[in-house]
């Protein structure tokens, strides 16, 4: 056991030198405003039957107040007895650190696991402490297995060393970025491919063509992940990815999307949103058929300058919540034209809502400004959100089995939507252009039809659009 302890000390000392060097190189590349929210971490995990004992060392900490996010199942949380700084910055409630010049802090906690021991193929998620609004620049994880259960540990970080000693088994991982999960399986798998961006664990050797393809997978600022081939259904977790297919397309997509999920938050976004963000940042086309079609719409419209602004804006969204509204705001800025392309597609099922542009001027109906009013341009036509207009003009509207229905005390309309006619007060009238159209989840009426059918006048100035009831409509 003395030999093991000596080995750990030597490795820790060597890693400390590497860590300091890598941090300064990496931090020089960070934007000035981001530096206060980055730190390094060295995590020592001891696996004993029924629990993981963790000593979590934080370094390069800023002189700011910081809050902890403890693992949900963590117990026995305390200041580590190994902390030479006497936990001077730790607050009494163990919820965070106070301002101070001390740049290091070591915390200890325990993660209970089954008393029967770990199950082969088990993924342990949310096992490590994090700092709110902070991102680890570099992480090192030491795993000491006192049960000598054999098998293989995987974190998603590059594996640096692995030793089987008399009393323990030891594995060390080290690399840029955070780590969130641990994976253990009883039987060891072969590393069939490894480079700076991924390690592939497979059942059999991969083909030369696949190896060459993976060598060409150079993704700027993307962190290392582990891809594990398995016939069992397992959900990927953080930097640990599972796949039943070992081919270029599948591996590439899993690797890229895993990075996007780590760097961005998509809590309320549609399933296609991460794939679209990932596609533009990696210069590839990923995701579902809908995602690919939306990407094609944007690429076909944007010129090189607009595309560069769009991609730079996506990069700045890292660490933030990505919503369809925030994507629309960025797209509008990139194109210098207001659009709700992503919001419309979020409410359009599997169909693709077109890229439409909006008039930025506020809309007034009989001098009352409308807050949720859209005016869009489509194929040389001007269309207005019809429901808020009708409500202000004293009409009710609804979608029925035979089209879009509009009714007031003296007038009624039915627009079949897919037929070249409309019905007014039980009389049928044919037309060439559709009065009302649906985009996303909203209905719009063409300006000429708005004036003709609902007896209003539309007046425009540089600052506003006015919809006024005409004398004939009074």
């Amino acid at each position: 056991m003395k030999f093991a302890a000596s080995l750990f000390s030597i490795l820790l000392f060597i890693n400390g030198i590497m860590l300091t060097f890598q941090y300064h190189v990496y931090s020089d590349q960070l934007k000035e405003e981001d530096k206060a929210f980055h730190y390094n971490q060295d995590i020592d995990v001891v696996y004993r039957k029924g629990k993981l004992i963790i000593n979590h060392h934080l370094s390069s900490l800023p002189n700011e107040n910081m809050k902890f996010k403890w693992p949900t199942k963590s117990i026995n949380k305390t200041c580590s007895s190994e902390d030479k700084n006497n936990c001077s910055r730790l607050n009494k409630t163990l919820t965070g650190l106070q301002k101070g010049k001390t740049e290091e802090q070591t915390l200890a906690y325990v993660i209970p696991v089954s008393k029967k021991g770990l199950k082969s193929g088990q993924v342990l998620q949310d096992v490590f402490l994090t700092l709110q609004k902070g991102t680890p620049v570099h992480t090192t994880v030491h795993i000491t297995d006192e049960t000598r259960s054999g098998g293989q540990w995987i974190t998603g970080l590059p594996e640096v060393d692995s030793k089987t000693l008399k009393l323990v088994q030891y594995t060390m991982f080290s690399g840029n970025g955070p780590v969130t999960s641990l994976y253990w399986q009883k039987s060891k798998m072969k590393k069939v491919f490894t480079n700076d961006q991924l390690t592939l664990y497979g059942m059999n050797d991969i083909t030369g063509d696949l190896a060459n393809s993976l060598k060409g997978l150079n993704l700027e600022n993307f962190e290392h992940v582990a891809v594990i081939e398995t016939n069992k259904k397992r959900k990927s977790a953080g930097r640990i990815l599972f796949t039943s297919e070992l081919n270029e397309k599948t591996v590439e997509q899993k690797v890229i999307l895993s990075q996007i999920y780590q760097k961005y938050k998509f809590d309320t976004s549609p399933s296609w949103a991460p794939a679209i963000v990932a596609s533009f940042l990696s210069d590839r086309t990923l995701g579902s058929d809908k995602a690919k079609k939306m990407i094609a719409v944007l690429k076909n419209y944007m010129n090189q300058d607009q595309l560069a602004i769009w991609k730079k804006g996506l990069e700045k969204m890292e660490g933030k919540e990505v919503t369809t509204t925030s994507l629309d705001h960025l797209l509008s800025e990139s194109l210098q034209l207001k659009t709700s392309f992503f919001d419309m597609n979020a409410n359009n099922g599997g169909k693709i809502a077109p890229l439409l542009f909006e008039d930025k001027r506020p809309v007034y109906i009989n001098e009352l400004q409308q807050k949720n009013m859209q005016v869009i341009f489509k194929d040389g036509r001007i269309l207005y959100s019809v429901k808020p207009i009708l409500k202000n003009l004293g009409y009710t509207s609804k979608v029925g089995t035979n089209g879009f229905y509009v009714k007031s005390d003296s007038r009624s309309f039915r627009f079949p939507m897919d037929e070249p006619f409309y019905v007014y007060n039980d009389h049928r009238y044919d037309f060439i252009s559709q009065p009302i159209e649906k985009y996303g989840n909203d209905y719009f009426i063409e300006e000429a039809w708005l004036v003709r059918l609902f007896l209003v006048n539309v007046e425009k100035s540089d600052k506003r659009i006015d919809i006024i009831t005409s004398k004939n409509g009074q």
Side-chain angles (χ1 to χ4, degrees), residues 352-420:
I352 305 297
L355 179 60
L356 303 172
F357 300 111
E358 304 167 34
D359 198 315
K360 295 181 180 180
R361 289 174 291 183
V363 177
Y364 292 77
I365 299 177
N366 291 330
E367 295 298 327
L368 181 65
Q369 185 174 357
Q370 305 301 301
K371 292 183 178 180
N372 298 312
M373 192 63 196
Q374 282 182 292
V375 182
I376 62 175
F377 307 108
K378 178 71 168 66
D379 300 330
R381 306 164 71 206
I382 303 171
L383 300 103
Y384 295 75
S385 301
V386 70
K387 288 186 177 181
I389 293 177
L390 293 175
K391 183 178 180 181
N392 278 277
L393 296 179
Y395 292 89
T396 59
S397 62
K398 67 176 183 178
V399 180
T401 54
N402 294 314
F404 188 82
Y405 294 78
V406 178
K407 189 176 182 180
S408 70
D409 293 338
S410 59
R411 313 174 81 225
S412 66
F413 296 86
R414 179 171 70 86
F415 302 92
M417 302 297 294
D418 55 357
E419 298 288 343

Side-chain angles (χ1 to χ4, degrees), residues 72-86:
T72 306
K73 294 182 179 180
S74 59
I75 59 173
N76 299 340
K77 295 173 280 195
T78 184
C79 175
S80 173
S81 58
E82 299 177 6
D83 196 324
K84 61 184 179 182
N85 298 302
N86 299 317

Side-chain angles (χ1 to χ4, degrees), residues 244-284:
S244 58
E245 299 179 71
L246 282 185
N247 57 62
E248 180 184 0
K249 183 179 178 181
T250 300
V251 173
E252 179 181 82
Q253 179 154 310
K254 281 185 174 290
V255 170
I256 295 173
L257 285 175
S258 74
Q259 300 287 338
I260 295 301
Y261 277 112
Q262 289 181 59
K263 294 175 180 291
Y264 297 80
K265 299 175 184 178
F266 297 95
D267 296 340
T268 60
S269 296
S271 58
W272 43 256
I276 290 177
V277 174
S279 295
F280 280 101
L281 292 179
S282 66
D283 293 322
R284 288 160 172 81

Side-chain angles (χ1 to χ4, degrees), residues 321-341:
E321 175 70 23
V322 179
T323 65
T324 54
T325 301
S326 64
L327 289 173
D328 277 328
H329 180 71
L330 174 59
L331 184 58
S332 298
E333 285 188 341
S334 303
L335 302 179
Q336 291 296 298
L337 291 166
K338 191 174 187 299
T339 181
S340 298
F341 178 68

Side-chain angles (χ1 to χ4, degrees), residues 189-225:
M189 293 188 75
K190 184 178 180 180
K191 294 179 186 176
V192 296
F193 179 85
T194 185
N195 67 3
D196 292 339
Q197 296 192 310
L198 70 97
T199 298
L200 185 58
Y201 297 86
M203 301 174 188
N204 301 294
D205 290 335
I206 61 174
T207 65
D209 288 343
L210 178 55
N212 289 332
S213 297
L214 295 177
K215 286 178 183 176
L217 185 62
N218 295 317
L219 303 170
E220 190 177 349
N221 298 324
F222 277 33
E223 293 158 355
H224 185 279
V225 296

